Amino acid sequence: PDALHSGALLQPDAPNMHETAALISSPIGVLAILCAVAGFFFYLERVTGAKFFQYVPPLLFIYITPVILSNVDIGGASIIPNKSIIYSGLSTFALPAFIVLMLIKVDIPAVIRIMGKGVLVMLMGTAGVMVGGVIAYMIVHRWLSDDAWTGFGALAGSWVGGTANMAATKEMLGTPSELFGLAVIADNAVYIVWLPLLLMSRNFADRFNAWARVPEERLIAMEAAAELHSEEEHAPTMPEYLFLAAVVIGVTWTGIALAPGISQWIGNTVEPLAPVFGESTTRILLVTTVSLLLSATPVSRLPNSTAMGTALVYIFVAGIGARAEIAGLAQAPAFLFGAFIWIFIHGAFCLAGAWIFRVDVHSVAIASAANIGAAASAPIVAAHHKPSLVPVSVLMALLGYAMGNYLAPLTGYLAKFAAGQ
């Protein structure tokens, strides 16, 4: 990943079989295909209104379609290449840009004010993701490749904060595109099982709340706080788009400019940390930290940043899919088995948090969804349980985004060390 520094864009990636035999090989053509793929499945979701996409999100198809386009030969050529200057460009520029766009909207005080101890349950769920990832990897790593811990780290990124963290962690850990594909597949397979459980939990609200010893005043206070919170955004103006562009490009440039020196200083000062804090990792962590600091300033009021950031995330994921080799997906059964062990450990931590902090089932379900499904599914769960909590469910998901770039790589390294690799 460190080779993806800005200088890497001066020359295209080295040619390989697929690049020299692709029907569409020009960089702008490849980018057009990636954007079209990302847009098509959301368009399909909107025009059909199919509930199918609630359980199998467009993300899965946005990843798999470029895998097919870059691996399946048609008359001796694939549709798009496995290697392109566009893919390295997305890693160097699009990734830090969407981190900035997503994180400047984090509003931690609002989440704490409305959800109260529900935030502690989410943090318990996050701890469950970290512990579960390590335990699951220790169980299944013997059936996986030696670098499979990087795929577990990427999946931890999705389950701590969301797809943006998954993509960022992939770059920090140097996760091969094939292992990232396994993480995407496992993420969606678990989501198909986990989301219905979170939705059905509403039917057991009375029994759950009695078991967790939830005070009646908690629900009343939560509803009152939610009513005071407003999430309305005005239509963006031209100057606001310019301000947003200046912030995004400025923070991205800061990360690219400072990362090499900081990475080298860390390596020289604490030599054992040199392999961990490479340029790519340092750049992403630096951009993450600066963005979180900006979230406490008037920059957070710039409209439309989350939607723009999310769009970039999906184009980036499509680019990762285009780089993958189908042969690398053979480890899927063992990876999936580990993912299901992992998710039930997360669930046990959420239940423990609910009992310790005496938190209602609605908050627990939203907290778990904010971890596992992030901003895509937390509002779905909130709307099913308590519609008044939809705005704060998005804020909880953004809280996960804030933690993911720090905790997900740590989870990957802990899994690696626990397995003795």
Side-chain angles (χ1 to χ4, degrees), residues 187-400:
D187 186 21
N188 283 272
V190 167
Y191 184 84
I192 291 171
V193 174
W194 198 247
L195 180 62
L197 291 177
L198 295 180
L199 296 175
M200 288 188 297
S201 64
R202 187 188 70 170
N203 299 331
F204 306 96
D206 292 338
R207 279 179 280 179
F208 184 97
N209 293 346
W211 168 78
R213 304 155 298 134
V214 179
E216 288 187 15
E217 56 268 22
R218 169 177 167 75
L219 295 175
I220 298 173
M222 188 168 60
E223 290 279 1
E227 290 178 4
L228 296 175
H229 178 72
S230 175
E231 271 291 292
E232 293 183 4
E233 281 194 349
H234 62 272
T237 63
M238 185 273 292
E240 286 173 329
Y241 275 128
L242 290 176
F243 298 153
L244 189 59
V247 169
V248 171
I249 295 172
V251 175
T252 299
W253 170 75
T254 300
I256 291 174
L258 298 182
I262 295 175
S263 173
Q264 185 176 6
W265 177 81
I266 293 174
N268 293 337
T269 306
V270 188
E271 191 171 340
L273 294 180
V276 177
F277 289 93
E279 279 187 31
S280 180
T281 298
T282 304
R283 180 171 67 247
I284 292 170
L285 292 180
L286 185 61
V287 169
T288 298
T289 302
V290 173
S291 301
L292 288 174
L293 293 175
L294 289 175
S295 72
T297 72
V299 168
S300 65
R301 294 197 291 270
L302 290 172
N304 215 34
S305 65
T306 302
M308 294 172 65
T310 305
L312 283 177
V313 169
Y314 287 113
I315 295 171
F316 183 85
V317 169
I320 295 174
R323 285 177 272 184
E325 298 280 355
I326 292 178
L329 302 180
Q331 305 175 71
F335 203 104
L336 280 171
F337 179 55
F340 278 101
I341 295 172
W342 188 348
I343 193 63
F344 284 106
I345 293 174
H346 159 79
F349 270 71
C350 288
L351 291 175
W355 193 86
I356 293 170
F357 301 115
R358 303 173 70 177
V359 171
D360 60 283
V361 71
H362 313 299
S363 298
V364 174
I366 294 170
S368 179
N371 271 144
I372 304 304
S377 62
I380 296 173
V381 175
H384 184 73
H385 278 260
K386 277 189 175 296
S388 61
L389 297 179
V390 169
V392 77
S393 71
V394 176
L395 293 178
M396 289 189 77
L398 291 175
L399 177 60

Side-chain angles (χ1 to χ4, degrees), residues 29-43 62 65 69 315 318:
V30 173
L31 182 59
I33 292 295
L34 299 181
C35 293
V37 168
F40 172 75
F41 289 103
F42 282 104
Y43 173 77
I62 290 171
T65 302
L69 294 178
I315 295 171

